[in-house]
Structures are given as structure tokens and as C-alpha cells.
Amino acid sequence: MFRFEREVGVSYSQIYVESARGGIDSRMDEAFAGQSSGLCGAAVPGALFLRTGLHTGRVGFTVEVHGQAPPLDPEWEDVVEVSFYPVSDQSFLSQWAGEAYWELDLKEGIDYRVRYCAQGMDQAREKDVRLDDEPLVDRYLLQFWPAPPEPDRVVRQTSKSAAYCHDYARRQPDFELGVRAVMAQRRALLAPGAAEPVRGVESPDGIAGMVVISREADPQSVREQLTSLSSYPSALPWDWVAAFDAEHAQDDRVGYIQAFLEEIGEQAFALGTVLASLDSGQDYCLAFVTPSQFELLSRLTGHKVGIESVRYGRWTPRMRPEQSAAIRAWAIANSHRATAARGVARIAWLESPTSPEEAEPDRLG
């Protein structure tokens, strides 16, 4: 078992776990987007955003990596759990602005469950600043163990400080849980000896987030598979299929299906939805995502997996920084269209929220 224990410095009630060299660029609202717990933000791939009661100073901090879920000690007043997937082979506990960091024994390619425990948050929040010669006020325990992805949860809530943080998180929309579900299903598909197809691997909410379509499938089965997805845009039209079929009647089966998917992708994009394809070798691994989720998938998969936006005439691979900026701007401008087309799905999180939390600088911004 890996164990790290010492006093660490916090600023603005924040400390972080990062698994990308050079840090991960995200805001606090993104870190807690869609979560019910507000102490450990895990919505941005490869990063954890940890909240403390103390604003500035040193807190007691322990990190443990276990082979299985450890028992929960009743001494901890506030406890939350999240899921975490490192995006590189090195992960670090990092202070504000990288002032100090410590390497953690976490492995790339493994899904972890994370338990974050706190004691003394209210007393530390009232203290605000702890000087070096003053006694310790608050303590924290961060535990990791291998486990499939599942939604975050509040295990125990005692302090007012934790309640305040949970309330903040619950006001942020979800945009990343679906991304984690898609990645988990793809990993299950490609795992050696996997007995079930990816469509049998359920997402955290029990509904498939991704389908696998053969390059020689028939159009009706393609449509049935795509409409079964939890992310399927209900406003997606199908009145073009008859004309498309007549135009491509002479195409070979593989060419026909690729063109068919490109047309679906073009129709979906007009509704503010991206039809994404993750590299899987022979078949197509497809999911509907918002433009912002596509950007997150690009960040998470990198060059090791590969992700493409399926659209008419081209399959667009991982975006360059200027393309990311352009699609974020497009998403903001068209958020009303995505909301109307997808029902509960939202991408309005891209616009900075106004909340008391934003009055404090957030280190990842």
C-alpha cells in the first residue's frame, strides 16, 4: 500500500491532484460540474480539485492507495467519493500554482474510486489563516483503489463548510459523466478476453453511452443502435434517408455505411450535437456528445486512442488549440439549440457563472 502523510500548504481553500505534466487547465465550476458533492471535484479528466476549510496555511494531509476499498473510520466528519482516471503515468498532489508537489503511486489505464475525508472544516474556516507556529486545525485523508466508474456521492456530511461546498457543486450542470461512461465502455470493449460487447456494458446511469457499429451493418440497425443511446438527440431528422439511399444505391456496403454515418453526423451537428467516433480498429465506436464533451474526450484520449467528429465529407481528428477555442465559441453561441435538441443536456456551463465562489481566484483558471 502506498501512503503519503505530512502537512501541506493550501491557498484559497484549495489543493489538487493532477495527472498531466504541466498541470490541467480548468476552472472550479468545470471541476464540480454535474456533481452532488462539492469537496472533491472530479469532472475534468485527469484532475481532482480538493476543497479545505482553511483558506491559507498548512493542513494535515494523508494519501493512501489501496488494492480494494478500505474501511471507513468513523472519526471523519465529512466524506465524499468520486471516480478518477489518470491521463498519464505520473500523478501528483499539487499546491496552488505548483508551489510544491508530491508524486503519487497511481497507474495510467486504471479507473480508481476516490474517498476524500475531512475533519475540522468549520473550525478551520473560522480560523481562516493558520500561521506556522499555530496548532493544526483541519485534517484530510485521500484514498484511492481500483473500481469501475460510478457517480460521485456524499457519504457523510457534518460541517456547514461541506454543506456550502455541496450546494455550490449541485448548481453546476453535468457535462463529463457521459464522457467517463463512454471511455469506460470503450475500455471494456477492448479489454483482453472481454465476453460481452460494449452495448452490454452499462453507463453509470444504466443507459448505454456508446454503440459499436459494424462497417457492414445495414442502415436500419444503425438507426436502431443510435436511437437507443441516452445521448441521442430526439430532434434528429430522418426524412433524408430515402433520397440518400437512392443516391448511394451503387456504393459497396462499407462505403455506404461510412457515407450514411457522415450524413447523420452532419444532421446532428446542425442541432448542436457532435457524433463522435473513438478509434476501435475494425468497427465504429460512436457516441453523441456536446461540443464541450468532444473537447474533453479529445483531452482525455490524446493520441493514444484517437477521436473523430463524424461529419459529411470529412472525419475530423483531435483538435488543435485554435480549433478548440473556435468550437467553444460555437458552443456558447448555439447553447440554446443544443438544449432544445437534447432535452436535459446543456452546454451553457461554458459561460462563467456568477456565484460567491467565483469571488475567490481558482487556481486552475
Side-chain angles (χ1 to χ4, degrees):
M1 182 189 79
F2 172 87
R3 182 179 173 86
F4 163 93
E5 184 175 11
R6 63 175 298 159
E7 290 188 13
V8 300
V10 299
S11 298
Y12 301 102
S13 303
Q14 300 169 22
I15 192 167
Y16 324 93
V17 171
E18 297 175 335
S19 64
R21 297 175 181 84
I24 293 177
D25 181 22
S26 65
R27 303 189 310 266
M28 185 164 64
D29 61 328
E30 294 177 328
F32 289 95
Q35 293 194 182
S36 61
S37 60
L39 296 184
C40 182
V44 173
L48 297 176
F49 195 118
L50 306 168
R51 306 298 306 277
T52 64
L54 194 71
H55 183 279
T56 304
R58 304 184 74 78
V59 303
F61 210 95
T62 302
V63 182
E64 297 175 347
V65 181
H66 298 262
Q68 59 186 6
L72 174 60
D73 194 315
E75 73 168 346
W76 297 104
E77 299 167 346
D78 295 287
V79 182
V80 301
E81 289 185 1
V82 301
S83 291
F84 177 66
Y85 181 78
V87 295
S88 80
D89 57 1
Q90 288 185 301
S91 296
F92 302 90
L93 178 69
S94 177
Q95 292 183 182
W96 172 277
E99 294 171 346
Y101 56 90
W102 302 270
E103 187 166 1
L104 307 177
D105 187 21
L106 301 175
K107 308 300 183 185
E108 182 181 12
I110 296 178
D111 283 300
Y112 290 93
R113 192 63 175 170
V114 183
R115 180 186 294 153
Y116 185 46
C117 308
Q119 186 180 63
M121 288 194 72
D122 281 347
Q123 297 90 328
R125 189 174 184 88
E126 182 177 354
K127 176 68 175 174
D128 193 43
V129 177
R130 179 200 170 201
L131 303 180
D132 289 341
D133 59 351
E134 295 180 329
L136 190 69
V137 184
D138 49 342
R139 300 188 302 115
Y140 301 88
L141 171 65
L142 189 65
Q143 297 174 309
F144 297 82
W145 65 91
E150 59 179 291
D152 73 293
R153 69 187 185 107
V154 176
V155 178
R156 184 180 301 155
Q157 188 261 300
T158 303
S159 70
K160 294 180 180 178
S161 297
Y164 178 83
C165 292
H166 298 330
D167 179 68
Y168 170 79
R170 290 161 188 167
R171 289 186 278 112
Q172 312 308 314
D174 190 356
F175 63 89
E176 200 271 334
L177 184 59
V179 171
R180 292 205 307 270
V182 168
M183 290 303 298
Q185 289 174 79
R186 182 190 173 276
R187 287 195 295 275
L189 170 72
L190 300 181
E196 297 293 328
V198 71
R199 72 193 70 171
V201 181
E202 294 186 341
S203 65
D205 60 3
I207 303 174
M210 184 180 76
V211 295
V212 178
I213 293 177
S214 167
R215 294 176 185 268
E216 297 184 353
D218 64 89
Q220 183 59 33
S221 67
V222 170
R223 180 172 176 175
E224 289 173 354
Q225 286 183 262
L226 290 177
T227 55
S228 72
L229 291 174
S230 58
S231 56
Y232 170 72
S234 58
L236 184 68
W238 295 96
D239 55 1
W240 50 269
V241 174
F244 177 91
D245 190 59
E247 181 181 352
H248 293 270
Q250 302 305 314
D251 292 356
D252 66 88
R253 176 58 64 185
V254 174
Y256 179 97
I257 290 301
Q258 177 164 333
F260 188 62
L261 292 174
E262 289 173 351
E263 183 64 39
I264 295 172
E266 187 72 12
Q267 297 284 342
F269 198 81
L271 298 172
T273 301
V274 178
L275 179 58
S277 175
L278 283 77
D279 178 31
S280 65
Q282 182 63 30
D283 299 322
Y284 299 112
C285 289
L286 300 174
F288 290 109
V289 295
T290 65
S292 53
Q293 286 175 319
F294 182 81
E295 185 177 349
L296 286 174
L297 274 168
S298 298
R299 185 191 307 169
L300 179 61
T301 58
H303 298 291
K304 298 180 180 180
V305 173
I307 176 175
E308 297 176 308
S309 170
V310 181
R311 292 188 65 189
Y312 183 69
R314 64 189 183 279
W315 289 49
T316 306
R318 177 176 166 83
M319 294 177 290
R320 298 186 298 275
E322 62 272 19
Q323 292 173 309
S324 295
I327 203 167
R328 286 174 71 91
W330 184 94
I332 292 172
N334 292 271
S335 60
H336 62 287
R337 299 173 67 191
T339 303
R342 308 218 14 200
V344 299
R346 295 180 291 175
I347 55 177
W349 63 271
L350 289 166
E351 302 179 82
S352 298
T354 55
S355 79
E357 295 285 352
E358 296 290 24
E360 296 183 351
D362 73 61
R363 169 249 182 267
L364 296 182

